[in-house]
């Protein structure tokens, strides 16, 4: 190590009315201590609060899950019906293909009805 003296500390200008807090420190917010959150008026929001991340309305959640399961079932049925309808159309069985197209339109309106059932859930 060298024997050079340390440079003098800069003059500190206090920022608090309490003398015990007016000391030169290296922290970013020198007047906020780790235990001062409950009494410090500058800290307004401490986090998400109790119960964060849990379901607040379980009835609504189960209703939305049931509606989602129905909609996914109909969509899977539509994909299957589309495959069958296109195969029948390509074979030349247009009568069966039109019945398949009717089923696809009907299932679309079923999903649309599920969506329109409760507008406040969107």
């Amino acid at each position: 190590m060298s024997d050079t003296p340390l440079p003098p500390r800069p003059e500190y200008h206090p920022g608090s009315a309490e003398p015990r807090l007016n000391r030169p420190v290296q922290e970013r917010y020198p007047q906020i201590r780790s235990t001062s959150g409950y009494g410090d008026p500058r800290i307004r929001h401490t986090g998400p609060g109790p119960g964060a991340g849990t379901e607040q309305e379980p009835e609504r959640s189960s209703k939305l899950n049931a509606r989602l399961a129905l909609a996914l079932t109909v969509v899977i049925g539509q994909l299957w019906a589309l495959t069958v309808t296109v195969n029948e159309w390509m074979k030349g069985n247009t009568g069966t293909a039109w019945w398949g197209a009717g089923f696809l339109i009907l299932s679309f309106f079923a999903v649309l009805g599920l969506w329109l059932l409760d507008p406040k859930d969107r």
Side-chain angles (χ1 to χ4, degrees):
M1 297 227 159
S2 66
D3 294 330
T4 58
L6 294 174
R9 291 189 136 184
E11 186 179 331
Y12 183 75
H13 300 287
S16 176
E18 292 185 49
R20 68 179 183 83
L21 296 177
N22 293 326
R23 61 187 188 355
V25 291
Q26 300 301 320
E27 294 110 7
R28 185 171 180 181
Y29 300 108
Q31 282 100 12
I32 298 178
R33 304 286 176 260
S34 60
T35 58
S36 68
Y38 56 88
D40 197 330
R42 294 173 289 180
I43 299 175
R44 291 193 177 91
H45 304 290
T46 58
T54 60
E55 182 56 54
Q56 302 296 325
E57 300 177 52
E59 295 85 10
R60 180 175 178 265
S61 176
S62 63
K63 181 172 60 171
L64 290 176
N65 284 338
R67 210 178 288 165
L68 181 65
L70 284 172
L72 287 175
T73 303
V74 171
V75 167
I76 290 170
Q78 283 179 324
L79 289 173
W80 172 79
L82 182 64
T83 303
V84 170
T85 302
V86 169
N87 282 339
E88 291 299 317
W89 182 269
M90 296 302 248
K91 288 179 187 176
N93 298 335
T94 55
T96 309
W98 283 113
W99 279 108
F103 173 78
L104 288 170
I105 292 171
L106 199 68
S107 61
F108 169 76
F109 283 119
V111 171
L112 186 65
L114 285 172
W115 184 70
L116 292 173
L117 195 62
D118 202 359
K120 69 178 180 196
D121 276 341
R122 285 183 234 121

